Amino acid sequence: MSQDKPRKKPEELRSHRWYGVKDLRSFGHRSRTAQMGYHRSDYAGKPVIAIINTWSDINPCHSHFRQRVEEVKRGIWQAGGFPVEMPAMSLSEPFQKPTTMLYRNLLAMETEELLRSYPADGCVLMGGCDKTTPALIMGAVSMDLPTIFVPAGPMLRGNWNGNTLGSGSDTWKYWAELRAGNITEEDWQGVEDGIARSPGHCMTMGTASTMTSAVEALGLCLSGYASIPAPDSRHAQMASLSGKRIVEMVWEDLKPSDLLTEASYDNAVRTVLALSGSTNAVVHLIAMARRSGFGLDLDRFDALARSTPVLANLRPSGKYLMEDFYYAGGLRAMLAQMQDLLDLSQRTVDGCTLGGNIAGARIFNEDVIRPRGQAIIERDGLAVLRGNLAPDGAVIKPPAMEARLQVHTGRAVVFKDYNDMAERIDDPALDVDADSVIVLQNAGPQGAPGMPEWGQLPIPQKLLKQGVRDMVRISDARMSGTSYGACVLHVSPESYVGGPLAFVKDGDLISLDVPGRKIELRVSDEELAARKAAWQPPQPRFERGYGVLYLKHIGQADTGCDFDFLQTGQRAGAAGEPEIH
Ligand code: FES
């Protein structure tokens, strides 16, 4: 039971305005519910639970959600609630072009508006594939009804010819080997058939695993459940338990605003860092925190990174996959190793505190989850860079790069956009060597548009054949959480809006200094100013539709890429929700 609120009465439920009053409109709501085969005893005086389900035929990561939603409903019925499934935009990472990130805020808006416009007393959010998690949470945080998140869970380990395969990471690895001529087309086909062999999201520590773990650390899903593999029967149990719990949360009036604090966001950031999680979490957690009214920023990530060890030995930075992580004790076991770095008093949807949830959690494989004294690295799972090339910041993931490149100066090889890069990167005549710095422009929030995961820029084929497997690469794009390499990402402001990245030319010297947190273009201020004066702003990319709204309101990466009109800090549910007529 919530510590400071009286238990709700049925007539205080939000849905009472649709179902409980005696007027013409309520007659319509009740008669139309009867039309669907429900008797008034099925819903009268019960919490209506909206299940926002991001299942679709085009999203393989959520292919089990058709079944899981039945298990969520079972829990809701058993606890005395009335489940109402509401399908929402799926954001399928492998299929949606140019990138799901273009649509993250659209799903966030859809979530908020579904909850606002229908008789929801609380909600279950079903997501997991990359952007679905932050989008659902952003929308629900803005609406601020009792909320519980059901994570899709990771798929099983991939397998090919006895090799364990990890989503994304091994795609990039074997693609490089194919281009270098070290594996055959037949081998490549085997990788294709074996790398994704069950429902569930990517099972490396990519964006999906990172964000679902962050949500558990925030206290928005049942404790210990973000790591369960999707096909495991315990995942189905989790779905049912979440359905039961959300009904109680409505009676307790336990809302995101009761759970989320600056300290709980710090807990989430530290969790991401200890997992060596995806750099995408920087953008998403900043956006989520700002929806909650907190000013999380890049400097906070960098400050926490300096005192957070990496404890999870997971690809792409490490060796294992999420299935191994779960069997080794899962997120609770890892968090129990870093209790001194967390605010254990933070409340969670379980009705408990984070400290209570992780008390006594044990590690069952100390190579997968490292005990505190045996960290993979003691600090710097992520670093924020600044300098004349990125005045508002950029990020890099030091554990996922070759250490020799942490302090490096090289000649720029510049591609003006993705198509330019795709055309020329493998040209044998390209003037590039292993010390060069590859630069991609126009790949940011407005430039691409949508800030796609192009940031792991390909290594030129002629260098791959020489054995080069990592180089310094710089862009205003994001990078898949399953990717790796010395990739400087999220350069802000982006080149498309006239950030300094737009003015880099072939042959310019660029210096990267990860320990010093610097990224510098070695060109004089006068020369930079002259290039800026000669720069022509590009034409807008959209002339109609959602794209126009997107371009007009999208923020830069350092502020979370949310729409400006959604970052007001005013919650829809708390501030001026319109009357129902
Ligand atoms: Fe869905 Fe990776 S493609 S999580």
Side-chain angles (χ1 to χ4, degrees):
M1 171 99 189
S2 177
Q3 295 156 357
D4 40 25
K5 295 184 197 172
R7 197 172 170 83
K8 268 201 167 172
K9 299 186 180 75
E11 60 274 21
E12 292 171 343
L13 294 173
R14 188 170 172 269
S15 61
H16 183 79
R17 287 185 264 156
W18 276 262
Y19 281 126
V21 291
K22 291 188 173 157
D23 63 9
L24 183 63
R25 277 298 186 195
S26 305
F27 166 86
H29 302 145
R30 288 190 296 265
S31 67
R32 290 301 180 154
T33 305
Q35 181 184 7
M36 293 186 282
Y38 296 110
H39 186 262
R40 66 180 63 83
S41 61
D42 286 326
Y43 60 83
K46 296 181 176 180
V48 176
I49 307 298
I51 307 170
I52 309 291
N53 188 355
T54 53
W55 173 88
S56 105
D57 263 337
I58 196 76
N59 194 335
C61 304
H62 298 177
S63 57
H64 55 316
F65 272 179
R66 246 186 179 167
Q67 176 60 35
R68 288 293 173 274
V69 75
E70 297 307 319
E71 286 136 5
V72 172
K73 288 178 185 174
R74 185 179 75 207
I76 293 170
W77 283 121
Q78 286 178 352
F82 182 54
V84 180
E85 185 180 353
M86 298 184 188
M89 193 179 193
S90 194
L91 304 189
S92 175
E93 194 64 27
F95 288 99
Q96 197 161 25
K97 307 296 179 205
T99 162
T100 52
M101 188 63 185
L102 187 65
Y103 300 105
R104 184 199 66 180
N105 297 347
L106 187 58
L107 175 57
M109 289 172 72
E110 184 183 13
T111 302
E112 181 178 340
E113 299 308 324
L114 282 172
L115 296 176
R116 187 208 312 279
S117 56
Y118 288 118
D121 295 305
C123 65
V124 177
L125 308 174
M126 298 182 67
C129 187
D130 284 23
K131 315 305 179 294
T132 57
T133 302
L136 290 165
I137 299 289
M138 287 162 70
V141 161
S142 291
M143 190 55 198
D144 203 30
L145 299 178
T147 297
I148 199 164
F149 181 73
V150 169
M155 66 178 98
L156 298 176
R157 287 185 287 255
N159 184 279
W160 162 66
N161 285 2
N163 300 296
T164 297
L165 299 177
S167 315
S169 308
D170 283 299
T171 309
W172 326 130
K173 176 177 152 187
Y174 286 105
W175 176 239
E177 298 308 327
L178 183 71
R179 290 170 67 222
N182 295 335
I183 64 168
T184 65
E185 282 292 343
E186 194 184 343
D187 292 332
W188 182 236
Q189 177 79 52
V191 172
E192 180 177 310
D193 291 339
I195 199 164
R197 60 189 186 90
S198 85
H201 62 65
C202 292
M203 76 321 234
T204 38
M205 185 41 70
T207 305
S209 304
T210 303
M211 290 310 300
T212 54
S213 301
V215 167
E216 181 174 326
L218 277 172
L220 294 179
C221 82
L222 291 178
S223 173
Y225 289 149
S227 327
I228 307 175
D232 196 301
S233 58
R234 286 165 286 193
H235 192 271
Q237 294 168 30
M238 177 269 291
S240 173
L241 288 171
S242 300
K244 287 181 185 165
R245 178 64 192 139
I246 188 63
V247 177
E248 274 309 296
M249 286 173 65
V250 170
W251 293 125
E252 295 170 6
D253 196 26
L254 186 59
K255 300 186 290 198
S257 57
D258 299 311
L259 304 174
L260 299 175
T261 64
E262 280 188 300
S264 64
Y265 277 104
D266 275 359
N267 286 343
V269 172
R270 286 216 190 260
T271 300
V272 168
L273 293 165
L275 289 167
S276 192
S278 165
T279 46
N280 286 324
V282 178
V283 177
H284 298 320
L285 281 174
I286 287 175
M288 288 159 58
R290 291 179 182 214
R291 290 291 187 103
S292 301
F294 307 120
L296 182 63
D297 61 15
L298 290 178
D299 290 339
R300 189 67 185 153
F301 272 86
D302 196 69
L304 294 177
R306 290 170 192 260
S307 58
T308 306
V310 174
L311 298 175
N313 188 7
L314 298 174
R315 298 185 202 184
S317 303
K319 180 174 171 192
Y320 296 98
L321 297 171
M322 284 300 288
E323 193 179 344
D324 307 301
F325 185 69
Y326 180 57
Y327 302 149
L331 191 67
R332 288 176 66 245
M334 191 193 80
L335 296 181
Q337 294 296 315
M338 49 190 284
Q339 296 189 38
D340 56 313
L341 299 175
L342 301 170
D343 185 332
L344 300 175
S345 69
Q346 295 304 302
R347 298 164 69 196
T348 71
V349 290
D350 308 76
C352 193
T353 60
L354 179 65
N357 287 339
I358 64 175
R362 288 165 50 207
I363 299 175
F364 302 106
N365 182 332
E366 295 192 346
D367 196 33
V368 179
I369 300 174
R370 297 293 178 84
R372 185 57 178 277
Q374 298 168 38
I376 291 164
I377 50 172
E378 284 302 329
R379 48 176 282 179
D380 294 344
L382 184 102
V384 174
L385 309 169
R386 291 186 193 272
N388 68 348
L389 197 49
D392 293 337
V395 301
I396 193 165
K397 191 171 172 182
M401 66 187 284
E402 290 185 9
R404 65 184 174 85
L405 294 170
Q406 291 214 359
V407 179
H408 179 86
T409 297
R411 283 182 311 123
V413 177
V414 182
F415 298 98
K416 70 177 186 316
D417 58 29
Y418 185 85
N419 291 340
D420 181 32
M421 182 178 72
E423 238 169 64
R424 295 195 293 124
I425 190 79
D426 286 340
D427 184 343
L430 186 70
D431 184 14
V432 64
D433 60 36
D435 290 329
S436 299
V437 173
I438 300 180
V439 173
L440 175 64
Q441 298 167 328
N442 294 313
Q446 296 205 28
M451 205 184 174
E453 293 182 336
W454 295 339
Q456 187 192 30
L457 311 180
I459 292 172
Q461 192 170 34
K462 69 179 180 185
L463 298 179
L464 283 174
K465 287 184 173 166
Q466 293 167 19
V468 177
R469 290 294 181 271
D470 200 4
M471 298 174 70
V472 175
R473 290 159 270 178
I474 302 177
S475 73
D476 39 20
R478 294 174 301 114
M479 176 172 88
S480 164
T482 63
S483 299
Y484 49 84
C487 302
V488 177
L489 308 160
H490 308 187
V491 169
S492 298
E494 63 173 306
S495 50
Y496 191 82
V497 300
L501 191 68
F503 314 130
V504 184
K505 291 188 172 171
D506 280 335
D508 288 347
L509 285 179
I510 294 178
S511 294
L512 169 67
D513 176 1
V514 175
R517 303 296 201 259
K518 287 219 170 312
I519 183 77
E520 293 284 351
L521 179 64
R522 306 263 287 265
V523 166
S524 70
D525 292 346
E526 295 73 29
E527 171 64 16
L528 257 185
R531 292 183 191 181
K532 185 168 188 172
W535 180 73
Q536 294 290 328
Q539 292 296 310
R541 292 215 183 267
F542 297 102
E543 290 183 352
R544 64 172 301 281
Y546 171 73
V548 172
L549 175 85
Y550 175 91
L551 289 183
K552 193 168 171 200
H553 296 287
I554 192 70
Q556 289 289 293
D558 60 305
T559 63
C561 295
D562 202 356
F563 290 150
D564 50 11
F565 61 90
L566 295 174
Q567 274 200 335
T568 61
Q570 275 193 335
R571 289 192 179 85
E577 186 182 351
E579 283 301 311
I580 308 301
H581 295 293

